[in-house]
Structures are given as structure tokens and as C-alpha cells.
């Protein structure tokens, strides 16, 4: 089967590769239709590793996917041929201690698409467990379905923050995950969400959403702006979604006493933060690693219209243009949020 294969650092190509083609009894076979290019895909392409996950042999890229069911396993009764679906890309060991606790995203044995050595979904067809496959309602497109994966990260962050109705929040970073986190915070009940970045083009995308207030950190004092807007108190939750090491210099300054900081972005190196500043406010610090038990709720929010991800899909390429799509994503202009690859 032809797939988009990362051969080595900086080298990807469309070529034939041996991939599973027959679903097991509890699997579904899916014809891929839309796959988003994630920052992690680009990072593997450019650097060959993310922390301990190192590309040591050719690997199919892609983990943000949606498609159409073309075959079902003998035990599968919840899907039929023709169903539109999206797929949760992490397959845990369901007998592990983490999975039994409901924390299957933290299972050390989880096999996650396009994380070495596991192949991803940038191929015409994939085999996937039925229990990690989710039907898309008629009013949710396949392009939106491929956005459920990054939306799930944002919803995991909002869940970790324990947002209450009328709360306020600040999100540092206005890339895909930053905006998804901001929209999730609004859906969870936030009345005001400030989105902070240094790239005006990305902030302009965030500004399309009435519930989000963009702040350009390179043009004004973002901490002062947030504190002024909250009567000097600060926000209930601050989300770090940029992965910038510098963000930690002022991270706790945005939060109110008794608030929380949720760490979503992944810095390139270990960072230091001001423990005493956090202690003085008794801040709760939460960490996000992917998501668990989120996909069905993310789809519900898309179907209800309470979250609209369509403005975030900036550019599409055909599967035959996959190499060009990755080259574009690696150098994408600041106004590009999400690039997708579309199968014919």
C-alpha cells in the first residue's frame, strides 16, 4: 500500500510499504479521507525525535484522521460500511493498571499513531480497533472529524482546569492547540478567555471567535492587560499552550490566588518556574498528556455548534501532494493554523 513515509530526518516520500489490510474480529477498516498535519509530525520530519521517541526506521506519518468504514470485523456491531468516522490514535493495553484506572493515555505500553515505532494513518486505508473509532453525525464533516484529535487535547486541558461557569482564563499560544484550548475553556463555562501570542496573524484567527480576546505580547504588557481586565485579581486558569520556555517567566502572574496553571505545550528542554510565586497564590499546577475519555464529548460539541473548528482549517493538499504539504507545514506562514491532506 502506498503511504507517506518518513525515511529519515528531512526525508519523506510517498511509496509502497507493507501495512495491515485485513481487520481483526474487533476492528474496522477505514478508507482515509482527511488527515491533519500536527506539529509533532513536522517535528519528527525535521528532527527525527521528540524526547525519548526516536525515529529509527521508516515510519508512516499522521495521527489526526477521519474516513469512511469499508469493512468491519466479525464481532463489530456498532459500525457498518459507509459510516463516517474519526479515530482516537492511541491504542493502550486495556489490561494495564493505568487503563483500569481510566488513565489509558498514561499506559506505558500505549501504541500511538506516528509515534516511533508505530505507523500513522497517512495511507489510503487503515485498520483500527472499533472501540477507538467514533461515528460522526451527519452535520459534522470529515474535515471537522480530523480536527477532533487536537480538540481533544484542548478539552483535556479544560477538564484538568476544573472550570466553573463564569470563570476566566488566559491561554498562552494561539496555534492549533492554543485556540482549541481556548474554545474548550469557553465551552466549559468561561466568560472571558484571553489568547496571548507574539504573532499577530495567528491572533487575528483567534479574533474571529467573539468569546476570545487576543493580546499581542510583543506590543503590550499581557500580564497588565489581563490583570486590569479582571480588576487586578487575575484569571482562574492559565494555560501554557505554546511550548515556549520563556512563557514560564510570567506564567503564574496571570493567575488569581487559588487559581490553576495547566501545562499543555511541550518545551524543547526542561524549564524552571518560580515555585514561591506559585506557593504565594497556592496555585494548582496540572499537566496534560494527550487525552482520555474525551472523543465522544468533542464530537458532541462539534455537532451542537458550540465549537466551530472550520475557521482553523487553513489549507488543504491532496494525498498525492503529501510531500509538498509537509514542506509547506514546516515553513507555514503565521496565518496558517491547520493544514490537512485530503484523499480523493
Amino acid at each position: 500500500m502506498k503511504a507517506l513515509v518518513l525515511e529519515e530526518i528531512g526525508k519523506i516520500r510517498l511509496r509502497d510499504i507493507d501495512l495491515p489490510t485485513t481487520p481483526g474480529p474487533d476492528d474496522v477498516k477505514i478508507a482515509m479521507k482527511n488527515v491533519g498535519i500536527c506539529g509533532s509530525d513536522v517535528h519528527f520530519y525535521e528532527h527525527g525525535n521528540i524526547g525519548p521517541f526516536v525515529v529509527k526506521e521508516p515510519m508512516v506519518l499522521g495521527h489526526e484522521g477521519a474516513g469512511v468504514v469499508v469493512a468491519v470485523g466479525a464481532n463489530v456491531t456498532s459500525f457498518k460500511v459507509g459510516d463516517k468516522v474519526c479515530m482516537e490514535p492511541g491504542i493502550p493495553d486495556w489490561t494495564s493498571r493505568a487503563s483500569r484506572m481510566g488513565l489509558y493515555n498514561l499506559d506505558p505500553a500505549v501504541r500511538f499513531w506516528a509515534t516511533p515505532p508505530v505507523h500513522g494513518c497517512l495511507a489510503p486505508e487503515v485498520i483500527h480497533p472499533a472501540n477507538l473509532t467514533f461515528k460522526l453525525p451527519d452535520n459534522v464533516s470529515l474535515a471537522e472529524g480530523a480536527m477532533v484529535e487536537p480538540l481533544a487535547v484542548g478539552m483535556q486541558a479544560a477538564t484538568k482546569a476544573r472550570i466553573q461557569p463564569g470563570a476566566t482564563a488566559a491561554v498562552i499560544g494561539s496555534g492549533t492547540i492554543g485556540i482549541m484550548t481556548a474554545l474548550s475553556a469557553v465551552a466549559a463555562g468561561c466568560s472571558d478567555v484571553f489568547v496571548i501570542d507574539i504573532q499577530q496573524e495567528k491572533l487575528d484567527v483567534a479574533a474571529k471567535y467573539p468569546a476570545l480576546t487576543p493580546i499581542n505580547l510583543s506590543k503590550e504588557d499581557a500580564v497588565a492587560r489581563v490583570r486590569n481586565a479582571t480588576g487586578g485579581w487575575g484569571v482562574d486558569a492559565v494555560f501554557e499552550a505554546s511550548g515556549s520556555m520563556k512563557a514560564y517567566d510570567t506564567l503564574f502572574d496571570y493567575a488569581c490566588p487559588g487559581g490553576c496553571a495547566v501545562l499543555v505545550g511541550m518545551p524543547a528542554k526542561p524549564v524552571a518556574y518560580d515555585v514561591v510565586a506559585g506557593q504565594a497564590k497556592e496555585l494548582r499546577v496540572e499537566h496534560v498528556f494527550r487525552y482520555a475519555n474525551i472523543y465522544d464529548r468533542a464530537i458532541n460539541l462539534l455537532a451542537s455548534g458550540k465549537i466551530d473548528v472550520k475557521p482553523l482549517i487553513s489549507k488543504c493538499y491532496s494525498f498525492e501532494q503529501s510531500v509538498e504539504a509537509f514542506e509547506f507545514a514546516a515553513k507555514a506562514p503565521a496565518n496558517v493554523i491547520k493544514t490537512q491532506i485530503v484523499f480523493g
Side-chain angles (χ1 to χ4, degrees), residues 122-193:
L122 268 168
E125 294 178 337
V126 298
I127 306 297
H128 202 60
N131 70 324
L132 290 170
T133 302
F134 297 83
K135 193 176 299 185
L136 296 174
D138 290 341
N139 66 334
V140 176
S141 69
L142 288 160
E144 292 171 280
M147 296 289 278
V148 170
E149 199 279 338
L151 176 57
V153 177
M155 290 181 61
Q156 180 85 346
T159 301
K160 288 279 190 176
R162 305 176 200 168
I163 291 168
Q164 296 182 1
T168 57
V171 178
I172 301 171
S174 59
T176 303
I177 297 301
I179 296 180
M180 291 295 197
T181 299
L183 295 176
S184 297
V186 172
C190 274
S191 58
D192 298 288
V193 178

Side-chain angles (χ1 to χ4, degrees), residues 26 83 85 129 227 256:
D26 300 308
D83 282 343
V85 295
R227 294 186 67 82
C256 70

Side-chain angles (χ1 to χ4, degrees), residues 66-244:
V68 176
V69 173
V70 293
V72 300
N75 297 337
V76 176
T77 59
S78 52
F79 296 98
K80 65 181 185 303
V81 172
D83 282 343
K84 292 189 309 178
V85 295
C86 64
M87 296 75 75
E88 185 169 343
I91 305 171
D93 171 5
W94 294 110
T95 68
S96 72
R97 183 172 181 173
S99 294
R100 294 198 311 271
M101 294 173 64
L103 305 172
Y104 62 85
N105 57 314
L106 305 182
D107 173 25
V110 68
R111 294 176 54 80
F112 197 92
W113 275 348
T115 300
V118 183
H119 289 309
C121 64
L122 268 168
E125 294 178 337
V126 298
I127 306 297
H128 202 60
N131 70 324
L132 290 170
T133 302
F134 297 83
K135 193 176 299 185
L136 296 174
D138 290 341
N139 66 334
V140 176
S141 69
L142 288 160
E144 292 171 280
M147 296 289 278
V148 170
E149 199 279 338
L151 176 57
V153 177
M155 290 181 61
Q156 180 85 346
T159 301
K160 288 279 190 176
R162 305 176 200 168
I163 291 168
Q164 296 182 1
T168 57
V171 178
I172 301 171
S174 59
T176 303
I177 297 301
I179 296 180
M180 291 295 197
T181 299
L183 295 176
S184 297
V186 172
C190 274
S191 58
D192 298 288
V193 178
F194 304 93
V195 180
I196 301 158
D197 207 312
I198 60 173
Q199 293 184 308
Q200 187 59 47
E201 296 90 343
K202 281 185 166 48
L203 291 170
D204 289 342
V205 177
K208 294 178 181 179
Y209 294 95
L212 308 185
T213 300
I215 301 175
N216 191 323
L217 187 60
S218 67
K219 296 181 179 179
E220 61 179 311
D221 184 332
V223 171
R225 170 84 178 274
V226 168
R227 294 186 67 82
N228 288 339
T230 56
W233 182 244
V235 292
D236 298 289
V238 55
F239 300 89
E240 202 307 287
S242 71
S244 169

